[in-house]
Structures are given as structure tokens and as C-alpha cells.
Amino acid sequence: MAQTSAFPVHNAIAVVTGGGSGIGLAFSKLLQTKGARVLIADLRLSSEAESWISTYNTGGQVVFQHCDVTNWAHLESLPDKAKELWGFVPDIWVPGAGIFEPPWSHFFLDSDASRSSNDSHYASVSINIEHPIRLTRIAIRAILSENKRGVVLNIASNAGLGYYYPIPLYVATKHAIVAFTRSLAPLEAEEGIKVVAICPGGVRTPLLTPELRDQFGVSDENLLLPADVAAAMLELVESATYTGGSIAQIDEPGCMRLVPAEAELPAHVDAESVRRYRERSYAPVRDVLRRERAGEMA
């Protein structure tokens, strides 16, 4: 069930984690203006989000759902919440919640690792890696259950394409999302589910605190607005130009470009060997997903 055409957001259902502020809020607003229904899943709404929903939301087109993205039960409840509201699971899935490298989850400060609890972990890893990976798997299962197409849009970063000594934990999480998205490129041709990622440069959001702006020498004039990133995200979702596994970079408003992908296999390998490799290695995955589409693993 290959997705070979555009994916218009009008009348679609979207779920956006982290949609209560920043890039997630900007994208939620844009989706709503394009006729989509949006489930905002976040810990809380910013005052801007509350004002927007109370002013512009009519007929339940935008709904807030409290969600801690480190809690898998919260993530797993989102498809059912969308069905309760609108009768179907979401078509568009955006794991937008994320953190930079705050003092409470910082590699060099050892803030997470120094906790005495036996379940200590880096919160950055839970929020920036585990949450989008888990939500993507939930999305795949939900989309297959209704035998339709879908899009998962991950939010990575320019940091996922480079290497930055002061913020290695953040860099590692964003590299992980780029690699994860690339790995799921065949899912579009195999199952009609497009998984893509956006890599913005610096964005004027609460994550970029005055202290961080000073540290990295950035000011408002050389930062993207959340709305700039949201516009690129919409194009990435809707346009058939951006196929599964696409990584798109945006550093300037209105200027999005694809990041070239490395070959899946060495160029010297012949086409027949590639075909046999794919048939053999994809077979177990195809079996699982075909059974999910048929409702055999509910």
C-alpha cells in the first residue's frame, strides 16, 4: 500500500505532543487554519495556547489532552482519545515535545546521573528519543488498524547533523532521531506510512533561554520563528516531493532543503543482491505489520 501522492491536511486528524507552546503550538495553529482537527498532548498549555483555543476553537476542532511523554500509558491513550473525539485515529503524528540540555538533565553537570534512585536516567533521552520512537510505533499500529495512510513527522535539529562539544547529550538525542527516521524510509512503500523529520536551526522558543543565547552568541534577528518552522513542516507533510525517510533542514524562513541520504548498501552491490537482501531482512517486519493491518495482533 504505497503512498505515492500528496497528503493534504484538510479534514485530517493530527496529534501533536508538545503542542502547548513553541514549534508544536505554531504547527497546531497552522493545521487548524488548514482544516485539520488537532489533539494537543502536553503537560500544560502556555497562556498563548489557552488564549488561542478559547478565541478560535469552534466545534471542538482543537482539544487539549494532558500528557507526560515519558509515561508510555499516556502516549498509548492518544489513539483512543482521538477516536472518542472524532471517530478515527490520527492521520498525522508529531512527537514535538523536546528539551535542550537544561541544568536538570545535563551531561557535564551529571544532574540526572547523580540521583540516588535505582531508576535514574537522563530525562533528555526519555523525552527526546524514547518518546518519539514509542509514539511512532503507536502511530504505525493505529494507522494499520484502520487500513489507511499516515504521516509521522519527527522534530530533530541541526544538532542532529553536526557535533557540538558543549551539548553532547542533546546532539546525541537528535542524531538518534535522524537515524531512526532514515531507517523507516521503506515504511512508506511497504505500508503507506511516511516518516520524515525536520531539522531546524536556532528557533525563538522558551527552550533557548537568555543564558543559552549568550553562551552560543545568538540574538532574535538570527533565530527562526516557530511559524517559520511550522510552514516547512506543513510542506514536509503535504508534498509528495518529500518521501519517507526524508530529512529536511531549515536555517532561514522559506528556505527548506533536503539533507542527502547515504546509500543503504554499498554502491558496488548489484541490484539482484540488494533485492534478495531486502526480501530476506524485511520479511519478519512485513509479517508483523501485515498481521496488524489485518487486526490479528490487537
Side-chain angles (χ1 to χ4, degrees):
M1 183 180 176
Q3 177 178 318
T4 57
S5 59
F7 197 92
V9 302
H10 184 71
N11 285 333
I13 298 170
V15 58
V16 183
T17 67
S21 63
I23 295 171
L25 175 58
F27 190 53
S28 297
K29 288 181 174 181
L30 185 55
L31 287 171
Q32 186 265 338
T33 65
K34 298 294 182 179
R37 291 156 287 179
V38 186
L39 181 61
I40 293 178
D42 208 333
L43 289 172
R44 63 190 64 85
L45 293 174
S46 64
S47 58
E48 179 187 357
E50 287 182 339
S51 175
W52 166 60
I53 291 175
S54 64
T55 303
Y56 296 103
N57 186 27
T58 57
Q61 191 178 0
V62 180
V63 175
F64 170 68
Q65 171 78 6
H66 176 266
C67 178
D68 175 356
V69 297
T70 67
N71 186 321
W72 285 19
H74 285 197
L75 296 178
E76 289 163 357
S77 73
L78 297 177
D80 285 340
K81 182 63 178 179
K83 289 188 75 169
E84 174 191 325
L85 291 166
W86 300 301
F88 301 95
V89 302
D91 309 279
I92 301 164
W93 302 69
V94 185
I99 59 175
F100 195 55
E101 198 151 343
W104 45 269
S105 185
H106 195 288
F107 178 76
F108 287 110
L109 297 179
D110 279 337
S111 47
D112 287 303
S114 63
R115 295 176 185 170
S116 59
S117 172
N118 290 331
D119 62 355
S120 292
H121 59 275
Y122 284 111
S124 296
V125 172
S126 295
I127 296 169
N128 291 1
I129 300 180
E130 289 184 355
H131 138 244
I133 289 176
R134 183 59 187 163
L135 190 63
T136 299
R137 187 63 183 98
I138 293 168
I140 292 168
R141 185 174 287 114
I143 292 166
L144 292 176
S145 75
E146 295 189 354
N147 197 32
K148 61 180 183 177
R149 300 189 300 155
V151 177
V152 178
L153 171 55
N154 288 312
I155 301 180
S157 165
N158 275 358
L161 306 172
Y163 311 94
Y164 304 95
Y165 179 51
I167 50 169
L169 188 55
Y170 180 74
V171 167
T173 65
K174 295 306 181 179
H175 271 266
I177 294 307
V178 169
F180 175 69
T181 300
R182 288 281 198 215
S183 296
L184 291 178
L187 191 62
E188 181 176 24
E190 292 281 314
E191 300 294 341
I193 301 172
K194 182 169 84 168
V195 182
V196 291
I198 187 84
C199 290
V203 185
R204 202 184 305 177
T205 73
L207 292 184
L208 204 54
T209 63
E211 293 78 14
L212 289 171
R213 292 188 187 200
D214 181 64
Q215 179 182 359
F216 292 100
V218 296
S219 55
D220 280 353
E221 56 265 26
N222 53 26
L223 290 174
L224 292 162
L225 294 174
D228 298 326
V229 182
M233 291 166 65
L234 182 66
E235 183 180 355
L236 194 53
V237 169
E238 289 196 312
S239 175
T241 300
Y242 302 101
T243 57
S246 292
I247 308 296
Q249 187 177 23
I250 175 171
D251 291 312
E252 301 175 16
C255 184
M256 183 168 68
R257 58 189 177 277
L258 279 174
V259 179
E262 296 180 0
E264 185 180 349
L265 291 172
H268 67 271
V269 178
D270 67 272
E272 179 58 23
S273 295
V274 171
R275 188 195 65 78
R276 290 197 304 268
Y277 159 77
R278 287 178 174 165
E279 287 299 314
R280 182 177 63 253
S281 64
Y282 290 12
V285 177
R286 284 173 174 161
D287 178 62
V288 169
L289 298 185
R290 297 297 194 274
R291 290 163 63 196
E292 287 185 358
R293 186 182 293 281
E296 296 174 8
M297 297 181 69

